[in-house]
Amino acid sequence: MEFQVPGDEGSESVCVLLRPIVDQGLEARTRSLAESKANYNVGYMLWDAGTVLAHQMLAEWEQYVGKRVLEIGAGLGLSGHVIAMVAESVTLTDFNPEILRNLKHQIRLNQIQTSRLEVIRRSAAANGRVVAEKLDWDLPADDGAERYDVIIGADIVCQRSDCDGIARALQTRLTPDGQAVFVCSS
């Protein structure tokens, strides 16, 4: 996918590299977890809401400069990778171990690519300040967890209990003057 990332002299075209998860043996390894959580395998593909959120963030990129951003339910992490071009740091989160492994691979791919681009050499993407961490909002919240200026998410409500988990994440992870940006498909 290619997105326009503003540069000092207009707009530079920057490609965010994404790798969907395609693993035929994955179903057998994760069946018990998949049966217990309706949203276990939704992060294996790019959803329309992720693209909408990425475009929205690029249109309003100035408000994310120098911010610490947390993407919850990141899946393929498109929005987090895009905003990493201007953010101070980005943390991509999911609870599925296979998705976390894929996110870490994509971070490496995008760090190599972005480090070659002069326009964003000081960005989180180029300087390794993009990380992937496990966050399962169905577990009790950690009141001492790191707080972020911005929390983002796209199509992260798959079942009723997700609303409670998202509220816990906002309560324990968002700074008091922070903002949350969510996009949901209709």
Side-chain angles (χ1 to χ4, degrees):
M1 281 192 156
E2 192 168 304
F3 290 88
Q4 293 296 318
V5 177
D8 294 332
E9 301 172 39
S11 293
E12 292 290 329
S13 180
V14 175
C15 180
V16 173
L17 303 174
L18 297 178
R19 180 184 76 165
I21 297 176
V22 181
D23 183 349
Q24 301 305 321
L26 186 64
E27 184 178 332
R29 292 193 312 271
T30 62
R31 185 169 288 128
S32 64
L33 277 172
E35 290 170 357
S36 67
K37 289 192 175 222
N39 56 356
Y40 191 78
N41 61 1
V42 296
Y44 291 14
M45 60 180 280
L46 180 60
W47 297 88
D48 291 341
T51 303
V52 169
L53 180 58
H55 280 290
Q56 177 184 339
M57 297 184 85
L58 284 176
E60 301 167 353
W61 67 272
E62 296 96 343
Q63 66 180 311
Y64 303 108
V65 173
K67 300 289 185 178
R68 290 169 298 120
V69 179
L70 174 70
E71 182 172 8
I72 60 175
L76 296 182
L78 173 63
S79 300
H81 283 296
V82 167
I83 208 58
M85 304 300 174
V86 296
E88 178 182 313
S89 66
V90 175
T91 302
L92 307 171
T93 65
D94 210 290
F95 71 95
N96 180 325
E98 190 74 21
I99 291 171
L100 286 170
R101 276 191 290 279
N102 191 52
L103 283 170
K104 289 174 183 177
H105 176 75
Q106 290 176 169
I107 289 167
R108 287 189 300 274
L109 287 176
N110 284 290
Q111 184 177 7
I112 291 166
Q113 178 205 351
T114 57
S115 65
R116 293 185 219 141
L117 300 169
E118 182 70 20
V119 68
I120 56 172
R121 70 171 184 249
R122 290 178 300 275
S123 71
N127 290 308
R129 293 186 309 261
V130 180
V131 297
E133 294 178 358
K134 181 177 181 175
L135 175 61
D136 186 343
W137 58 52
D138 288 335
L139 298 178
D142 178 7
D143 290 332
E146 181 179 355
R147 292 189 175 260
Y148 296 84
D149 304 310
V150 180
I151 295 180
I152 63 173
D155 267 350
I156 56 175
V157 177
C158 297
Q159 56 198 4
R160 180 171 229 155
S161 66
D162 290 342
C163 296
D164 294 331
I166 293 165
R168 272 192 298 278
L170 289 172
Q171 186 177 37
T172 59
R173 295 295 188 106
L174 190 62
T175 60
D177 60 342
Q179 75 176 70
V181 181
F182 297 114
V183 174
C184 296
S185 296
S186 58

